[in-house]
Structure formats: structure tokens, C-alpha cells
Amino acid sequence: MEYVTRIVIIGGGPGGYEAALVAAQLGAEVTVVDCDGLGGASVLTDCVPSKTLIATAEVMTTFDSSYEELGITVADSGSGPAQALPADLVARVVGVDLGKVNRRVKRLALAQSHDITASVTRAGARVMRGRGRLEGMQALDGSRTVVVRVADGSEERLTADAVLIATGGHPRELPDAQPDGERILNWTQVYDLDELPDELIVVGSGVTGAEFAGAYQALGSKVTLVSSRDRVLPGEDPDAAAVLEDVFRRRGMNVMARSRAAAAKRVGDRVEVTLADGRVITGSHCLMAVGAIPNSAGLGLEEAGVKLRESGHIWTDKVSRTTAPGVYAAGDVTGVFALASVAAMQGRIAMYHFLGDAVAPLNLKTVSSNVFTDPEIATVGYSQADVDAGKIDARCVKLPLLRNPRAKMQGIRDGFVKIFCRPGTGIVVGGVVVAPRASELIHPISIAVDNNLTVEQIANAFTVYPSLSGSIAEVARQLHTRKATGEA
């Protein structure tokens, strides 16, 4: 009888379900243990829902910012023929039904989760609804035991040749700012709102905070963004962050820099947020976006020999191994890069490695990421911070989109393309795009970074005229010219 390798995956997010698909396709016996529904937070409460909400906000922003310039007229109900209206009147004509938006968000998230479950089961994997944990150390035969507590409280013991931990994370909470799900919210609770917040305070100016602040501002809320740092998006390209903060302020957002929130409490139908310096700001609702905590507790990890970092994240190497033989980890629980694409790649790499297939170690310098604000901010490879810190010697050209003919046609005023290349060789090592749909425009730069292409090769490739991607080729041409002439 031929022996079948047994794989148990704890957690059904991108790291877990992508690993399950790979392992099943390679002939392993796969069990996915999940308590919320396949897709995890990425599909059910984070990436898919937030980007669906942002899609509605994007339509509102695009219309509001360019309808008049593009010659579009709007008719108020009962006002007679279509006419160009002032912005305050347009706000009354074009509105949003947040309850309907959120019902669509939840419906799409559940549909995506069901599609993933169908794909995983069709591939031959078993899906168990429950919570799993490792039990003890590795057995003499090299196997591991996973104990699964199912909904009725009973337990089932699974024997595995390899275990993948892909349990994700959950919103961090401040001791004096506990969410109540009604007025003080974390990012998993906003989809229960039936009405648009009149005055929303967003605490935290990282990716999550910036995305929600921009979305609700576009939907019609009066937004105050509380940032403990000097600028929004402190972890992103400084030029890109500056563009976004300028856009936020121009659209009426109150951006409070160097303002750390200490507490938030509900006072009737209002929320009071107390800052560390004693100032108090009020709003109808408050969204706490102050980071995430890995779901690594209660899994028996340290008892099984799995090393945790001080933050609670699981230590892994570049092929997703933990310090415990036969135990791998993927996704947000590892703290490597909080992106669904990275989680999925970590999960796939883990299965390729354990099952003996060809595998390339995870290379974070080829990862492309996107901030879904308006405009979007997409990045790949080495950053401005890396260049400034001397981690790599690179030349850079930044070209504003204002000079792009397609941008002019579409009424796009904000954004740029920036590319980093190595001096001498001209090999592309990084890039930044700030633009509508930057998540799509970053792809040619990602291909260049991943394949060590040169600025000359990008410059010589045809682009459509007119197109926003033409700016990518133009930046490459300028970098190639500077390389040829020896300019810095």
C-alpha cells in the first residue's frame, strides 16, 4: 500500500487555503481546520470587504472631483433640465445608502468564501469547522498531533506529517478605547453600520486607517484622522504620502499629525477621543485602526518547540519553516508582510518545500503592494528609505502625472511614477506609482524587478498612446539617458 503524506493546516485564510490547494494537487491527504470560514479575515472582514467599500467610495470621488471639468451635468430632482450644479448641491443629489453598500459587501465576502471552500474540497482536501492546536513535541516517527475542538465542544485528534499554522491576526485594541460595535469600532465591525457616520474619527494613519478615512470622506462623512506620526502612511514612500495627505486635506479631511490617542469613550450618541496631550475631540463614531495582533496564543506552539518573537509572531525562515521540525507557518501570524499575496506565497512555498517539489525561497524585494486610497499608492522592490539609508546604491527619476496626456484627459491632477535603477547596469530595483488604479500600473515595474530588466528594455517596449503607462516608459527613458551620460 502506497503511503500518503498527511498535512494539517490550521487556519483557512490565503496562506492556508492556497497551501491546501498545492498540497492536494501534489497528492497529499489534506485537512484544513478553520473556525470562521475559508478565506479568513482577508475575505470575510478585511481585504475583500474593505476594497468593496472603497470601490463605492472611488465612484463617488471620481464623480465629485471631475464631473464639472469633464462637462458632465447633473439634474436635481424636480429642478428641470440638466445643468452644472455647485458642489454643495451635487452632494445632495449624489449620495450613498451605507446599509445597502454594507449588505453588498457582506454578500460578496460570503460568496467568495463559499467559492474558496468549493475549490478546496473539489481539490480533495477535507475542511473541518473548529479550532486546532498542536499537542506536544514531535513523535518518534516524525509525526505531529493536532487536537481540534469542534462546535459541540468535542475534540478530534489528527495525526500529521506536517502542520501549517496560518491563523492570521486580529485588531489591536487600546485598554481605554474598547470597541462597542456601535459607536467605537474596529475594522471588522464597520460593515454592521446601516447609516453613514456624520463625523468619523479614525485613530491610526497606517494603511488601514488611511484607506478607511479616505473612503468615508468620499462617501460623505466628515472625517478626522488622528496620526501619532509626522505624516500619514509613515511606512510608505514619503513623496507618495505627501501627495495623499495633500489630497486628504484638500478634500476637507482634518488630519491631526503628531497626535496620539490615549482613550475613547462613548457619551450618549457621541464619542470622545482623548489625546495624550489632554486635548479632547468628539465625533459621532470612532474607528480604531491601531495595528493587529497575531493569533498565536492558545495553539500550543511554544510547547511544541515553535519559537515566537516578542511581538507574538511566529519566527519563520524563507521557506516558511518554524523552529519546530515538521511545523510551518504562513501569513499575518508570521509578521513577515501583512499582505494576502505574501501569505498565499508563504503557504505554497511551505507545501512545495515539505513535499519535495522545486521551490524558490521567499524574496520580499519582489513583492508588490498597494494602498487602496484615492489616489492609490503602489510599490515594489527597494524603496526611497532603502536608498537614503545606504542599503542600495540606486538612481531615481520621478515624473508627475500632470505631464501625462491621458491624465489630462481624465482630469487627473495628483500622482507620479518613480523608478529606482542601479547605476551602471540600469537594472530596475524598485518603483512607486501614485495614481488611480496604481495597483494595475505597478505590474510592468514588478515584472522588471522580478526579472532584472533594465531601464533600456522598459524604455524600448511599446506603450499605447495616450496611456498612463506611458509615464512608466518615459521615466525609464530619462533614467537610461542619465545612465548613458553619467548624470546622478
Side-chain angles (χ1 to χ4, degrees):
M1 181 177 177
E2 184 179 354
Y3 180 79
V4 177
T5 304
R6 300 157 298 182
I7 304 288
V8 174
I9 298 169
I10 304 176
Y17 74 74
E18 287 286 349
L21 291 171
V22 166
Q25 290 162 3
L26 292 177
E29 178 185 286
V30 184
T31 302
V32 182
V33 181
D34 182 79
C35 59
D36 297 317
L38 292 198
S42 175
V43 169
L44 295 170
T45 60
D46 191 357
C47 190
V48 170
S50 66
K51 278 50 177 181
T52 306
L53 176 75
I54 288 166
T56 300
E58 186 179 65
V59 173
M60 298 284 288
T61 301
T62 301
F63 181 82
D64 184 55
S65 62
S66 60
Y67 80 97
E68 190 171 1
E69 179 180 341
L70 298 181
I72 298 172
T73 57
V74 181
D76 194 2
S77 56
S79 66
Q83 55 185 308
L85 301 176
D88 59 340
L89 186 53
V90 173
R92 295 199 296 272
V93 177
V94 182
V96 64
D97 182 339
L98 189 64
K100 187 174 182 179
V101 170
N102 282 338
R103 287 190 292 275
R104 177 174 182 264
V105 165
K106 292 179 179 180
R107 186 171 66 250
L108 290 177
L110 285 174
Q112 181 69 7
S113 178
H114 291 155
D115 287 347
I116 292 168
T117 303
S119 295
V120 169
T121 54
R122 202 161 47 237
R126 175 192 181 194
V127 178
M128 284 188 69
R129 196 64 177 264
R131 295 183 179 276
R133 71 177 190 276
L134 286 169
E135 183 178 76
M137 301 295 285
Q138 189 177 34
L140 291 176
D141 64 358
S143 66
R144 291 277 180 177
T145 298
V146 175
V147 180
V148 181
R149 180 178 292 276
V150 295
D152 63 4
S154 62
E155 292 187 344
E156 182 174 337
R157 297 166 67 85
L158 305 175
T159 301
D161 298 298
V163 177
L164 174 70
I165 309 296
T167 47
H170 61 276
R172 177 173 169 258
E173 297 176 355
L174 301 182
D176 295 323
Q178 294 294 308
D180 61 9
E182 294 180 354
R183 295 284 171 175
I184 304 175
L185 310 158
N186 62 40
W187 70 74
T188 71
Q189 299 169 329
V190 294
Y191 311 107
D192 294 326
L193 293 174
D194 288 324
E195 295 183 356
L196 191 68
D198 292 328
E199 301 168 90
L200 178 65
I201 301 169
V202 178
V203 177
S205 64
V207 172
T208 301
E211 287 184 345
F212 277 113
Y216 278 101
Q217 180 81 17
L219 293 173
S221 296
K222 182 179 179 182
V223 175
T224 296
L225 180 59
V226 179
S227 173
S228 62
R229 308 289 284 275
D230 291 339
R231 57 179 172 86
V232 301
L233 296 175
E236 298 296 322
D237 180 90
D239 292 333
V243 168
L244 185 66
E245 184 166 335
D246 178 63
V247 169
F248 277 175
R249 293 183 188 275
R250 216 166 57 227
R251 291 175 180 168
M253 188 183 298
N254 177 23
V255 180
M256 301 180 65
R258 297 179 295 280
S259 301
R260 184 178 297 276
K265 66 178 180 179
R266 182 170 174 174
V267 181
D269 288 337
R270 304 284 293 173
V271 176
E272 290 185 355
V273 176
T274 303
L275 305 181
D277 61 8
R279 288 178 294 166
V280 177
I281 54 177
T282 64
S284 62
H285 296 75
C286 176
L287 170 62
M288 303 300 297
V290 289
I293 294 175
N295 294 329
S296 57
L299 299 176
L301 297 178
E302 292 181 294
E303 295 83 353
V306 177
K307 177 183 176 182
L308 300 180
R309 303 180 190 275
E310 288 186 13
S311 60
H313 292 100
I314 299 173
W315 182 91
T316 56
D317 64 12
K318 291 186 177 182
V319 291
S320 304
R321 289 179 297 191
T322 71
T323 52
V327 181
Y328 293 75
D332 290 3
V333 74
T334 68
V336 170
F337 224 153
L339 295 172
S341 58
V342 172
M345 184 62 75
Q346 287 178 290
R348 289 191 291 261
I349 286 173
M351 294 301 100
Y352 290 139
H353 182 268
F354 184 77
L355 294 170
D357 205 17
V359 61
L362 183 67
N363 180 6
L364 295 179
K365 287 307 177 185
T366 63
V367 174
S368 58
S369 62
N370 193 71
V371 183
F372 288 86
T373 47
D374 183 24
E376 294 180 359
I377 299 172
T379 56
V380 66
Y382 283 93
S383 66
Q384 186 71 58
D386 293 329
V387 176
D388 294 343
K391 293 182 179 179
I392 188 170
D393 184 14
R395 289 176 175 167
C396 167
V397 164
K398 183 180 77 170
L399 186 67
L401 284 182
L402 270 174
R403 293 165 56 178
N404 181 288
R406 187 69 183 274
K408 292 174 183 175
M409 296 171 191
Q410 294 179 328
I412 299 170
R413 299 183 181 88
D414 303 294
F416 61 82
V417 173
K418 177 192 288 189
I419 294 178
F420 302 96
C421 78
R422 296 284 285 163
T425 63
I427 291 174
V428 178
V429 293
V432 182
V433 178
V434 180
R437 299 288 194 276
S439 49
E440 312 293 344
L441 289 169
I442 197 68
H443 191 230
I445 305 178
S446 297
I447 293 174
V449 170
D450 196 41
N451 291 278
N452 295 317
L453 301 183
T454 67
V455 289
E456 181 181 9
Q457 289 172 304
I458 295 178
N460 288 337
F462 278 96
T463 57
V464 172
Y465 181 86
S467 67
L468 295 182
S469 60
S471 289
I472 296 174
E474 178 59 28
V475 170
R477 277 191 288 273
Q478 291 190 22
L479 276 168
H480 176 55
T481 301
R482 295 188 183 192
K483 178 178 75 71
T485 59
E487 295 180 28

